[in-house]
């Protein structure tokens, strides 16, 4: 239970922190008589993502209670990767970490739970930013294979994981 709560708290704090930053900038813009529709849209996306995470917590409780779960849906993995990268720009910027990404031009449709996949991708990007060096680089590349499969690679130039921690 402790591990579950720690992981859940971690997963909820990131979008909440990003949302707080967006709202703070929107408040500042409102005081100055300006508005940024893109920033407002980004804040709304973070709210939707937080809602999805909370929905999944409810789904876990229902699963534990033996209730049936809905079928996974189809979604564009490229768009999901772009959202996860954009979510981390406010965290990378103060440390001058360059955050880049590449996704296929055409939608890469996959089937699954969009919130769980976004949570996993977001965790990978978050760890690459968090454990990187100041002024470092993080790259997120999504490639589509000919056989309908894909490869997602998150790389950085941080110190890496110590050998004694790899199994963990």
């Amino acid at each position: 239970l402790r591990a579950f709560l720690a992981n859940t708290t971690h997963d909820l704090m990131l979008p909440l922190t990003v949302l707080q930053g967006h709202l703070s900038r929107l408040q500042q813009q409102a005081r100055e008589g300006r508005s940024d529709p893109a920033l407002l849209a980004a804040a709304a996306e973070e709210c939707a993502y937080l809602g999805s995470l909370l929905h999944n917590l409810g789904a876990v409780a229902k699963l534990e209670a033996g209730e049936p779960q809905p079928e996974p849906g189809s979604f564009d993995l490229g768009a999901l990767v772009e959202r996860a990268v954009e979510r981390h720009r406010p965290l990378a910027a103060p440390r001058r970490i360059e955050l880049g990404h590449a996704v296929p031009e055409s939608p890469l449709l996959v089937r699954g739970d969009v919130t769980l996949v976004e949570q996993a991708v977001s965790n990978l990007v978050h760890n690459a930013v968090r454990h990187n060096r100041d002024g470092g680089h993080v790259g997120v590349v999504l490639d589509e294979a000919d056989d309908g499969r894909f490869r997602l690679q998150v790389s950085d130039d941080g110190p890496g994981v110590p050998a004694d921690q790899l199994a963990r």
Side-chain angles (χ1 to χ4, degrees), residues 5-166:
L5 288 174
N7 289 335
T8 301
T9 300
H10 173 268
D11 291 341
L12 291 171
M13 286 308 296
L14 177 62
L16 183 59
T17 301
V18 172
L19 178 59
Q20 287 170 329
H22 290 338
L23 292 175
S24 176
R25 287 193 301 276
L26 286 167
Q27 285 177 322
Q28 180 64 35
Q29 289 176 355
R31 284 191 291 271
E32 297 169 355
R34 299 181 300 124
S35 68
D36 182 353
L39 186 58
L40 184 58
E45 277 187 16
E46 289 305 308
C47 281
Y49 181 56
L50 275 167
S52 295
L53 289 173
L54 291 170
H55 171 77
N56 276 1
L57 285 176
V60 167
K62 288 179 181 179
L63 182 63
E64 289 291 320
E67 295 181 28
Q69 295 297 300
E71 289 291 316
S74 181
F75 59 91
D76 179 6
L77 187 57
L80 182 148
V81 166
E82 289 176 334
R83 282 194 310 271
V85 167
E86 291 305 316
R87 175 174 296 119
H88 290 83
R89 288 196 190 284
L91 302 174
R95 296 183 50 212
R96 300 173 330 279
I97 295 174
E98 186 178 323
L99 185 54
H101 72 283
V103 298
E105 286 185 29
S106 299
L108 177 55
L109 297 178
V110 297
R111 194 158 171 71
D113 183 311
V114 65
T115 304
L116 292 177
V117 174
E118 188 162 346
Q119 194 174 353
V121 172
S122 190
N123 282 341
L124 291 171
V125 176
H126 178 73
N127 286 336
V129 170
R130 186 174 103 189
H131 297 291
N132 208 329
R133 59 181 174 77
D134 288 355
H137 303 83
V138 173
V140 182
V141 178
L142 176 64
D143 291 316
E144 184 174 13
D146 291 333
D147 62 357
R149 300 176 89 181
F150 66 87
R151 181 178 72 153
L152 177 67
Q153 183 175 352
V154 179
S155 56
D156 63 72
D157 52 7
V161 179
D164 65 332
Q165 296 290 316
L166 283 174

